[in-house]
Amino acid sequence: NESYAESHAFLADVIALGAQPADALDIAKKAVLLDPSSSSVRLSLARVLWALSQRDSARGTALAARALSHSDQERSQAEELIAFFNRAPAN
């Protein structure tokens, strides 16, 4: 569905794991435009940014996702991703 943010976010996550992760960036950004208040959509963008070695932007996006979380589960998912980012060795 062209207007469903979660579909775009999922597609972006899958593409980011492939041979050309840069192709995922516009899709992930579109997901955020479609649902700017979604924590899970922003986490997807954070993962894409991380795959593209845009680590500071990835961390900032994950922090924004945590701030937007509407449930304990969403907050936990954001905190887990932030912890992963913080444990990663410097690039």
Side-chain angles (χ1 to χ4, degrees), residues 21-86:
D23 291 347
L25 186 56
D26 286 341
I27 298 167
K29 286 180 177 180
K30 183 174 181 180
V32 171
L33 287 174
L34 289 170
D35 191 356
S37 65
S38 171
S39 175
S40 63
V41 167
R42 289 197 188 252
L43 289 176
S44 177
L45 176 58
R47 288 187 292 271
V48 169
L49 290 166
W50 190 264
L52 297 175
S53 298
Q54 296 181 28
R55 293 185 169 200
D56 290 338
S57 294
R59 281 187 184 95
T61 302
L63 289 169
R66 183 178 64 187
L68 290 169
S69 62
H70 297 289
S71 68
D72 290 341
Q73 181 181 7
E74 286 181 351
R75 181 174 304 282
S76 176
Q77 289 170 343
E79 289 176 352
E80 286 177 21
L81 189 59
I82 293 165
F84 170 79
F85 290 167
N86 289 336

